[in-house]
Amino acid sequence: APPKAIPKTIENQREYDETTVDPNDEEVAFDEATDEFAPYFNRQTIPKILITTSDRPRGRTVRFCEQLSTVIPNSHVYYRRGLALKRIIPQCIARDFTDLIVINEDRKIPNGLLLSHLPDGPTAHFRMSSVRLRKEIKRKGKEPTEHIPEVILNNFTTRLGHSVGRMFASLFPHDPQFIGRQVATFHNQRDYIFFRFHRYIFKSEKKVGIQELGPRFTLKLRSLQKGTFDSKFGEYEWIHKRREMDTSRRKFHL
Amino acid sequence: GRCYLYMKTIERAAFPRRLWERVLLSKNYEKALEEIDENLIYWPRFIRHKCKQRFTKITQYLIRIRKLTLKRQRKLVPLRRKIERRENRREEKALIAAQLENAIEKELLERLKQDTYGDIYNFPIHAFDKALQQQDAESESESDAEKEEDDDEDMDKREFVEADDSDLSDFEDMDKLETSSEEEQEEEEEVEKAASHAKSKGKTPLKGPARRKRPYIEIEYEEETEPATKTKAA
């Protein structure tokens, strides 16, 4: 009888992306040492995050913002009453914020996320979908505590994925407090980034139990800009162009 | 935008091209009103009044348009239904393919193995386990006698090993198979079972309404030959 064949999955058949990062790549390592996240990774800056929404947020978005601020330590929620983003940004830089998150809303549900690293850092625009608030998740856990969670970044292989992954990592402070036993996961699968927040317990050496607490959402990257948010004159590092990039089922960019 | 006054006279009804007569009104609001008055001089009073009212309304909304264009405008981006549906479907499939919980568990176990947690969790290492089992197999009577003289914890351990069949099978499997799919399957089943019961450990505030079905006893391994390394997080 012929040997059992390995089933073909989309991940197996994925078209080889030339920008895949090799762990031993010197060029990439050098780039990462000198790009905008270097101060964070050298532990010179502590992340401080401002979360805001688009105009007139509805109840669901407001609650989601509050939950997000409990998940991410050292974050503040401010309401935007018609203020232009271009004017907010200099004020944020003056007040020492390192990151800005804007949650865009449409028809009472949040559907877009704009994440920009403040002192002149890259800006990423995501499409957010399938947002579950804490009470909609089936679990029996309590609220996330104030401990700094661990961060897991899965499957960010290409250069683009690498930079996006570093953006996410720079949201969280460096030294996770293991007493809290909380972990925030950004898992990339076929260009969709799933965010989950769990509490884990090691029952024995080979068994771990996780309990989901905290909101969950999925993101899909739409564009990545080099500087801070600027819709007209910004320099785009990557935009999702539907006609060119969505042609093949097996080609992914993150 | 500039405003024009258009006038129609019945004598020209036969020539549609020359039907409407156009007059440019001045930008100044009051002067424009006067111009309307002089142009429509022999027209009935009611029509003149209505014309001026209409002109007032037009100027007001023109002013509002100019003000609004200076402020931020909401850009409406149309959704494409086909694309939305395609992306939702792909997202579901990606979610299934991702197997998030397994991936997270694997990552956490890897981190435990690579000692990122330091000394918080005092699990015995695999080799030590094997050595212990070998030692037991070689000198059973001696080790039994030694164990009898030991603390309560070791007594508990012995009870635990005899009473619970499922855990006994677990230890046996851990001996034979280092990392195999069977073990992972068992782990998954156990994890599912355990995940459904919320667990409580002494030092952490995590509590659940349902307790574990089996009597839960904390295992602490103590070796007689080496000094016991008991490291617990404060």
Side-chain angles (χ1 to χ4, degrees), chain A residues 127 129 151 192 203 205 218, chain B residues 83-84 87 91 111 124 194:
Chain A
R127 187 184 103 107
S129 48
V151 179
Y192 287 97
K203 281 177 246 153
E205 192 188 302
T218 62
Chain B
I83 295 179
E84 284 285 305
E87 294 198 337
E91 193 184 314
R111 287 189 184 182

Side-chain angles (χ1 to χ4, degrees), chain A residues 92-109:
Chain A
C92 285
I93 300 179
R95 291 190 202 189
D96 244 3
F97 279 98
T98 54
D99 286 279
L100 175 69
I101 298 182
V102 181
I103 297 183
N104 193 27
E105 192 199 350
D106 177 52
R107 288 210 194 157
K108 304 174 196 172
I109 49 164

Side-chain angles (χ1 to χ4, degrees), chain B residues 84-179:
Chain B
E84 284 285 305
R85 272 192 292 148
R86 185 169 68 184
E87 294 198 337
N88 288 343
R89 236 179 310 131
R90 287 205 182 153
E91 193 184 314
E92 286 166 13
K93 294 193 177 171
L95 185 64
I96 296 172
Q99 296 180 352
L100 283 168
E101 310 213 330
N102 294 354
I104 298 177
E105 285 163 14
K106 263 192 217 171
E107 178 72 29
L108 287 172
L109 287 172
E110 285 239 354
R111 287 189 184 182
L112 184 70
K113 271 192 195 168
Q114 287 170 2
D115 223 10
T116 43
Y117 299 134
D119 277 337
I120 307 178
Y121 303 102
N122 55 340
F123 292 129
I125 43 178
H126 214 70
F128 167 61
D129 238 351
K130 254 191 154 179
L132 190 67
Q133 295 286 344
Q134 277 180 3
Q135 219 182 28
D136 282 345
E138 284 169 8
S139 52
E140 254 182 307
S141 55
E142 289 174 15
S143 54
D144 276 352
E146 281 175 350
K147 275 178 188 169
E148 276 176 3
E149 297 166 6
D150 265 87
D151 309 333
D152 294 338
E153 290 161 351
D154 277 348
M155 278 287 295
D156 283 350
K157 173 186 165 192
R158 223 197 312 154
E159 276 180 38
F160 178 66
V161 163
E162 286 167 6
D164 275 311
D165 287 335
S166 54
D167 265 4
L168 181 65
S169 68
D170 232 18
F171 282 133
E172 285 178 357
D173 280 353
M174 267 168 67
D175 257 355
K176 293 173 201 165
L177 318 156
E178 296 263 339
T179 45

Side-chain angles (χ1 to χ4, degrees), chain A residues 178-191:
Chain A
F178 299 121
I179 321 172
R181 283 187 295 133
Q182 296 175 131
V183 57
T185 307
F186 291 91
H187 182 97
N188 172 39
Q189 182 88 11
R190 303 180 193 177
D191 275 355

